[in-house]
């Protein structure tokens, strides 16, 4: 499930923040002194001016991020993907980092020191994707976010003719962007990257040809329609040409996608502030996987006693939502919101609701995601998108791709109530604009994934075994993502091995297993769902220990959501009043049976006393 705002740090849409732009005039160079003209101002005023300056410069360097945030003076602009354009952004970010670091602890209040660390973390994340990942030269995911036209078509921020004019400008800029992307994506490329690129860019071409003209058909401006028709033809040709170029690379395809242990660790430190040994990270993921597998076995023993776990899950998934996944999700949202209110789990600021729609053809590489308007927009809807199965799949695989009602319930919880949508209702009300704009991958996805288990623990839909199976199958999917990311990028795991693990441990159907394994190659940070959840669960345990235990959940949730979306270790430091740190939750082990009294005679031993309990059937 994709992270939301294109200003999030999700690696799925990393291009939305990590690519260059072409400005009409060169952006002003940053100074080592963040506010040289305001040297006489108090340090606090200088700090505020420095952050405001960073935001303005950021939008100039990354105009798609500006447009998606609701700064529509940047509409239609696409980045300059040339090596020179990318290097300009790297240089600017380094200048900004130096300027931010010039604010020493002695110049700032405690809240401002936290803000400084937040800004620096965002810069470090951007620099990793631009400088260290190598994605600009081989990974189509680096570009996909910026090229998405969804904002102009699905977000009613202006009258349709105005959005059409912006879309025409966007189409006008696509051929040059495609040419630069083609020059950057030098073969040989990993097979999964080629498949992603052909699907995404080919999907754009198909969408521009078949769907976009219908979206603007009612606009009566003949001159604008003529401009649209001309730019549309060139956009289709550019995107199809890029797709065909990548398809032609298939004979030379490689499996050279791994970041390597050193770079993977640097990714976690730079993007999420997590500086833990890989063996510790892997052990935490394996422990959570085994915890959830054991819980699934227990739930299946109640729901489908005597049947293998695979058949148990099939039984639960056979209970399909009425009218399909989109209609089913629409029915679920009202009940999820009411459950939050009835149980008083977390505050709901505002009265906004999320719509549910079928995902557009160019963005169906994952089952569900939500698009939420940026913080500069006003009174616009958010849309929870659900992808249909690929019509080229066999009928049985298409049917299996549509989740059962219980599975879909926790997808809806993740995307809307109380997951991503509620989190951004809180973030958009932050008093600090920077916190509204920059929401990290582990924060957003960790919160959304955390809420699934939290809602089950609170008794969602009676919390019976079928409901538990829905929650656990979602959790196991994220467990295997976590372990696949580490394995694929640091442990020599093959795509086929990852795909098999999704089938064996997360019980995914063949279509989803293929998608998920491939995603791990081009989205190495998709471990952040479980990583973020484990950090939040540990923070909840530590914080509520001094704030009423279980009775402190609502206060914990409200305070956690008040920070916007920084790296979770920064939030841990703020809420616990300690230095920032990454702590992963691990489930307490079951208490050992009490030892018999010394004078009690023991029965004769039978069987093997050291035999482990049987593992879940696969």
């Amino acid at each position: 499930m994709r992270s939301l705002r294109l200003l999030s740090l999700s690696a799925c849409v990393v291009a939305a923040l990590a690519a260059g732009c072409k400005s009409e005039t060169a952006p002003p160079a940053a100074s080592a002194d963040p506010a040289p003209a305001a040297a006489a101002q108090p340090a606090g005023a200088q700090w505020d001016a420095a952050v405001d300056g960073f935001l303005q410069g950021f939008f100039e360097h990354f105009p798609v991020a500006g447009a998606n945030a609701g700064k529509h003076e940047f509409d239609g602009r696409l980045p300059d993907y040339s090596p020179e354009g990318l290097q300009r952004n790297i240089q600017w970010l380094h200048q900004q980092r130096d300027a931010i670091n010039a604010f020493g602890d002695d110049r700032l209040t405690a809240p401002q020191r936290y803000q400084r660390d937040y800004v620096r973390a965002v810069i470090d994340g951007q620099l990793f994707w631009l400088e260290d990942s190598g994605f600009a030269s081989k990974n189509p995911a680096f570009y996909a976010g910026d090229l998405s036209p969804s904002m102009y078509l699905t977000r009613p921020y202006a009258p349709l003719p105005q959005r059409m004019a912006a879309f025409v400008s966007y189409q006008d800029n696509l051929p040059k962007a495609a040419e630069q992307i083609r020059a950057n994506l030098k073969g040989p490329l990993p097979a999964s990257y080629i498949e992603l690129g052909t699907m995404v860019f080919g999907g754009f071409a198909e969408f521009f040809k078949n769907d976009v003209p219908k979206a603007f058909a009612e606009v009566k401006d003949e001159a604008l329609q003529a401009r649209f028709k001309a730019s549309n033809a060139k956009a289709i040709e550019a995107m199809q040409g890029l797709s065909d170029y990548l398809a032609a690379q298939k004979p030379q395809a490689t499996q050279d996608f791994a970041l390597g242990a050193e770079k993977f660790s640097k990714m976690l430190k730079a993007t999420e502030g997590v500086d833990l040994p890989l063996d510790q990270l892997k052990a935490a993921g394996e422990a959570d996987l085994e915890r959830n597998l054991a819980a699934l076995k227990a739930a299946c023993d109640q729901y489908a006693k005597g049947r293998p776990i695979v058949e148990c899950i099939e039984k639960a998934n056979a209970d399909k939502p009425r009218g399909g996944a989109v209609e089913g999700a629409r029915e679920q949202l009202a009940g999820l919101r009411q459950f939050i209110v009835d149980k008083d789990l977390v505050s709901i600021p505002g009265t906004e609701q999320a719509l549910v729609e079928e995902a557009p053809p160019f963005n169906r590489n994952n089952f569900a995601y939500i698009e939420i308007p940026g913080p500069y927009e006003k009174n616009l809807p958010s849309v929870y998108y659900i992808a249909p199965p690929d019509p080229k799949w066999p009928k049985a695989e298409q049917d299996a791709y549509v989740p059962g009602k219980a599975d879909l319930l926790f997808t809806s919880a993740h995307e809307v109530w109380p997951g991503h949508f509620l989190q951004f209702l809180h973030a958009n009300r932050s008093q600090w604009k920077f916190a509204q704009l920059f929401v990290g991958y582990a924060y957003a996805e960790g919160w959304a994934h955390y809420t699934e288990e939290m809602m089950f623990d609170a008794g969602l839909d009676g919390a019976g075994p079928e409901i538990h199976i829905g929650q656990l199958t979602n959790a196991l999917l994220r467990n295997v993502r976590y372990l696949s990311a580490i394995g694929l990028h640091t442990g020599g795991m093959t795509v086929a091995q990852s795909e098999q693990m999704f089938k064996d441990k997360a019980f995914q159907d063949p279509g989803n297993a293929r998608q998920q394994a491939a995603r791990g190659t081009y989205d190495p940070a998709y471990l952040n769902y479980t990583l973020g959840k484990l950090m939040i669960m540990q923070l909840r345990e530590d914080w509520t220990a001094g704030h009423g235990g279980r009775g402190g959940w609502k206060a914990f949730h409200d305070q956690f959501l008040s920070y916007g979306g920084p790296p979770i270790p920064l939030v841990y430091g703020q809420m616990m009043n300690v230095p920032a740190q990454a702590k992963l939750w691990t489930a307490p082990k079951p208490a050992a049976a009490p030892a018999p009294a010394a004078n009690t005679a023991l029965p004769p031993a039978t069987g093997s006393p050291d035999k482990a309990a049987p593992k879940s059937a696969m």
Side-chain angles (χ1 to χ4, degrees):
M1 284 139 230
R2 200 182 91 174
S3 193
L4 332 145
R5 192 174 287 168
L6 291 181
L7 286 172
S8 95
L9 303 184
S10 169
C12 294
V13 291
V14 70
L17 287 180
C21 73
K22 181 176 180 181
S23 301
E24 294 300 320
T25 58
S31 168
D33 182 348
Q41 293 180 335
Q46 292 181 33
W47 168 248
D48 292 341
V51 175
D52 290 344
F54 173 83
L55 293 179
Q56 181 58 38
F58 189 88
F59 295 143
E60 289 292 337
H61 282 267
F62 305 95
V64 175
N68 274 285
K71 298 287 239 181
H72 292 295
E73 61 267 35
F74 296 101
D75 280 5
R77 288 170 54 175
L78 286 176
D80 176 2
Y81 289 126
S82 69
E84 297 79 13
L86 297 175
Q87 190 58 43
R88 279 196 295 272
N89 287 334
I90 291 171
Q91 181 181 3
W92 179 79
L93 286 166
H94 276 293
Q95 291 171 337
Q96 290 298 304
R97 195 180 196 282
D98 291 342
I100 294 300
N101 282 340
F103 285 92
D105 287 357
D106 59 330
R107 297 181 63 189
L108 301 174
T109 65
Q112 289 167 338
R113 290 195 291 272
Y114 157 73
Q115 291 179 350
R116 177 198 59 197
D117 293 345
Y118 192 167
V119 176
R120 186 165 53 202
V122 167
I123 294 172
D124 287 346
Q126 302 308 306
L127 286 171
F128 174 82
W129 299 118
L130 278 165
E131 286 191 298
D132 300 299
S133 70
F135 281 0
S137 64
K138 64 180 183 179
N139 191 346
F142 184 88
Y143 304 100
D146 273 340
L147 298 187
S148 172
S150 183
M151 175 184 68
Y152 306 112
L153 300 166
T154 62
R155 190 187 304 178
Y157 65 87
L160 189 61
Q162 181 179 331
R163 289 188 283 127
M164 183 178 180
F167 186 85
V168 169
S169 296
Y170 154 83
Q171 285 190 141
D172 284 339
N173 289 322
L174 274 175
K176 182 174 183 179
E179 179 183 344
Q180 292 173 335
I181 293 168
R182 178 171 175 164
N184 289 347
L185 294 177
K186 301 179 179 68
L189 299 173
S192 57
Y193 290 19
I194 293 171
E195 183 176 355
L196 173 71
T198 55
M199 179 188 68
V200 169
F201 300 129
F204 280 135
E206 178 185 353
F207 186 68
F208 294 152
K209 180 180 180 179
N210 298 328
D211 297 288
V212 173
K214 300 173 188 175
F216 295 122
E218 67 184 69
V219 176
K220 303 304 181 184
D221 186 327
E222 293 184 5
L224 183 57
Q225 286 287 1
R227 285 179 54 211
F228 168 79
K229 185 175 181 180
S231 67
N232 184 251
K234 292 178 181 178
I236 293 168
E237 181 182 8
M239 290 295 99
Q240 190 60 55
L242 187 53
S243 178
D244 293 344
Y245 165 75
L246 289 171
Q249 308 303 308
K250 288 182 180 180
Q252 293 79 42
T254 73
Q255 294 298 322
D256 184 21
F257 53 76
L259 289 175
E262 181 178 353
K263 195 171 287 186
F264 190 85
S265 294
K266 185 171 185 179
M267 175 192 75
L268 292 176
K269 175 64 175 174
T271 63
E272 301 297 343
V274 173
D275 191 12
L276 296 173
L278 286 175
D279 58 351
Q280 182 179 337
L281 287 167
K282 184 180 178 183
E286 289 171 338
D288 201 54
L289 173 67
E290 292 305 317
R291 174 180 77 97
N292 287 322
L293 284 171
L296 180 62
K297 182 179 185 304
C300 282
D301 283 346
Q302 297 180 60
Y303 182 67
K305 189 171 180 61
R307 296 169 67 176
I309 285 184
V310 171
E311 292 184 14
C312 167
I313 293 172
E314 287 175 352
K315 178 184 175 184
N317 282 337
D319 185 11
K320 302 291 186 183
R322 183 176 57 189
V326 171
E327 286 301 318
R330 286 173 179 156
E331 289 186 10
Q332 289 172 346
L333 294 189
L336 285 166
R337 188 185 188 282
Q338 191 60 47
F339 181 81
I340 294 167
V341 172
D342 292 344
K343 295 291 185 178
D344 202 24
L345 294 171
V346 57
S347 297
I348 300 178
T351 59
E352 297 95 322
Q353 301 286 341
L355 305 177
V356 187
E357 302 291 349
E358 183 175 288
F362 63 85
N363 202 3
R364 292 179 176 176
N365 57 311
N366 215 28
F367 173 69
Y369 65 96
I370 188 168
E371 287 194 356
I372 297 176
Y376 294 104
E377 305 280 23
K378 301 297 180 187
N379 302 317
L380 294 182
S382 296
V383 184
Y384 165 25
Y385 286 106
I386 296 176
D390 190 327
K392 296 189 293 292
W393 291 350
K395 176 69 163 55
E397 289 191 16
Q398 292 187 49
D399 292 342
Y401 188 79
V402 178
K405 287 191 293 189
D407 187 349
L408 182 64
L409 180 65
F410 289 97
T411 301
S412 298
H414 179 108
E415 299 297 340
V416 184
W417 299 116
H420 290 317
F421 180 66
L422 177 60
Q423 186 245 309
F424 275 94
L425 292 183
H426 281 263
N428 283 344
R429 287 162 172 81
S430 172
Q431 296 302 303
W432 191 39
K433 183 60 71 175
F434 189 94
Q436 297 180 18
L437 290 163
F438 294 96
V439 177
Y441 199 168
Y443 188 100
E445 296 297 354
W447 166 260
H449 184 35
Y450 158 82
T451 65
E452 299 164 28
E453 185 165 346
M454 182 272 291
M455 291 284 276
F456 175 78
D457 289 343
L460 180 62
D461 242 22
E466 182 177 356
I467 297 300
H468 203 186
I469 291 164
Q471 181 260 312
L472 289 166
T473 52
N474 277 273
L476 288 166
L477 172 65
R478 278 46 166 273
N479 285 140
V480 178
R481 283 179 181 170
Y482 181 102
L483 293 172
S484 285
I486 295 172
L488 289 165
H489 290 278
T490 76
M493 179 185 285
T494 66
V495 176
Q497 288 170 332
S498 172
E499 184 177 334
Q500 193 62 44
M501 184 162 60
F502 277 107
K503 294 176 182 176
D504 293 345
K505 301 290 188 180
F507 309 99
Q508 294 296 299
D509 62 87
N512 261 314
R514 281 196 302 271
Q515 283 186 338
Q516 294 298 324
R519 177 176 169 183
T521 66
Y522 58 79
D523 180 11
Y526 81 159
L527 87 165
N528 278 325
Y529 293 77
T530 292
L531 180 64
K533 172 182 175 177
L534 294 179
M535 288 193 286
I536 293 170
M537 290 182 76
Q538 186 60 52
L539 175 54
R540 185 185 74 185
E541 182 172 297
D542 292 348
W543 190 85
T544 57
H547 296 81
R550 177 89 174 234
W553 277 17
K554 181 181 182 181
F556 168 77
H557 294 150
D558 286 353
Q559 186 166 339
F560 180 84
L561 292 175
S562 72
Y563 291 95
I568 294 173
L570 287 182
V571 182
Y572 190 97
Q574 290 296 297
M575 292 186 69
M576 298 302 297
N577 196 27
V578 297
Q581 55 190 275
K583 292 182 67 177
L584 304 184
W585 181 82
T586 54
K589 294 182 179 178
N599 61 351
T600 301
L602 296 177
T606 59
S608 172
D610 296 323
K611 184 177 180 181
K615 292 189 177 180
S616 304
M618 298 299 163

